[in-house]
Amino acid sequence: MDNSKSMYDLCAEDKRLGRKPDHRALVKLLGWLTKSMDPNGVDLHYFSAGREYQTLALTNCKKSRHLEDSLIAAKSTRTTTPNLVVGRLLVAYTKRVAGYRGSSQGSLRRMTMKATEPPRPLSLYILTDGVWETPEHKGGGYLEPEIRMLVQELIAAGLPRNQAGIQFIRFGNHEVGKQRLEHLDRLAEELKLGCDIVDTEPVEGGNIWKMLLGAINENFDDDDHHDGYQESQDLATSARPASGS
């Protein structure tokens, strides 16, 4: 959750004008829709996390009411960046995928020990206006290295496209914010990553099912390019040593 002042100003305006869904209602709905996907519940993280902002992470939450209580208590900060909290989550998950890949490959290792199970799928829903640090210009470098490394590990491990998804849910229509999020949505094509795990959907006029599934299901991702994931996965598979080699 982006807890910048600009984001909170938008949310206050939505509430004043009665626009639906507001950020609290949307988080509750996403929590309700996704809690059945993970028996451990859902986690809520803030871009600027700290006790002084009452934005400490809420983990393994199984009740939408607790998500709403956290949002009510959370305070805004002047500016935010996704690179800290979101970047850390992506790096941690990339390490888990790399650990799985390392434990499941190699003929001797397969004969002497049981391969570990892949990590649970990761779905990140990021509510933001895209106005990060420098609202007056485009900036750059937001989450690109972390997304690239995660995609490379997913392909190398031969894991399916829906193993990880990053869904940006955009509030407002700030031009630079839109450009930033649209750039991340096109990252797979621009960097020729071979797998598209990022999607962006606006709150205003948006589709709740696309918000939920756009990053992990190509049928809900309306990008007009083919991410080439199957070809990349086939290449990674063919590069592995055959059993007994």
Side-chain angles (χ1 to χ4, degrees):
M1 176 70 190
D2 184 350
N3 58 316
S4 67
K5 184 179 184 302
S6 62
M7 178 72 173
Y8 274 39
D9 287 345
L10 278 172
C11 294
E13 182 181 6
D14 287 343
K15 183 177 181 180
R16 180 175 61 84
L17 297 177
R19 291 197 292 247
K20 301 292 184 178
D22 60 27
H23 71 299
R24 293 177 189 169
L26 187 55
V27 168
K28 285 179 64 178
L29 179 57
L30 287 171
W32 181 79
L33 289 171
T34 58
K35 64 182 179 180
S36 62
M37 298 179 184
D38 190 338
N40 295 323
V42 300
D43 299 344
L44 175 62
H45 297 266
Y46 295 89
F47 278 18
S48 293
R51 196 175 301 278
E52 66 271 30
Y53 304 120
Q54 299 185 52
T55 54
L56 294 178
L58 186 65
T59 59
N60 300 329
C61 182
K62 299 181 181 180
K63 294 186 178 180
S64 298
R65 175 173 54 83
H66 294 163
L67 296 173
E68 185 176 24
D69 290 344
S70 177
L71 290 167
I72 292 173
K75 298 178 181 179
S76 66
T77 60
R78 188 171 66 85
T79 59
T80 59
T81 173
N83 285 350
L84 299 177
V85 172
V86 180
R88 186 169 65 247
L89 291 171
L90 292 175
V91 168
Y93 194 75
T94 300
K95 290 180 178 178
R96 293 178 62 192
V97 174
Y100 161 74
R101 178 168 65 89
S103 69
S104 62
Q105 293 182 357
S107 57
L108 179 61
R109 188 181 296 266
R110 283 197 299 269
M111 289 187 294
T112 58
M113 64 179 291
K114 182 179 179 180
T116 60
E117 292 294 322
R120 287 184 179 275
L122 173 72
S123 295
L124 291 181
Y125 300 95
I126 303 172
L127 282 66
T128 182
D129 59 1
V131 184
W132 305 326
E133 296 183 309
T134 53
E136 71 279 2
H137 61 81
K138 190 173 182 179
Y142 295 105
L143 301 177
E144 291 183 19
E146 294 86 350
I147 293 172
R148 183 179 67 251
M149 287 188 293
L150 175 53
V151 169
Q152 290 170 346
E153 279 296 335
L154 290 171
I155 293 174
L159 292 172
R161 182 182 189 270
N162 61 0
Q163 180 70 31
I166 305 169
Q167 179 69 54
F168 289 97
I169 300 174
R170 177 173 57 80
F171 283 72
N173 289 290
H174 191 286
E175 189 57 37
V176 173
K178 289 171 62 177
Q179 290 175 11
R180 286 176 178 152
L181 296 179
E182 288 169 358
H183 167 66
L184 290 173
D185 197 2
R186 297 192 302 269
L187 198 62
E189 180 182 30
E190 294 178 0
L191 299 184
K192 298 181 174 18
L193 295 181
C195 176
D196 184 5
I197 63 171
V198 181
D199 186 58
T200 300
E201 180 75 353
V203 168
E204 187 175 355
N207 183 320
I208 187 63
W209 289 110
K210 187 172 182 294
M211 294 177 195
L212 184 66
L213 299 171
I216 60 175
N217 188 322
E218 61 186 5
N219 293 322
F220 286 90
D221 188 350
D222 58 7
D223 291 350
D224 58 3
H225 62 273
H226 176 55
D227 60 27
Y229 176 66
Q230 188 60 51
E231 290 89 337
S232 300
Q233 190 178 42
D234 290 345
L235 180 61
T237 302
S238 64
R240 295 188 192 137
S243 178
S245 61

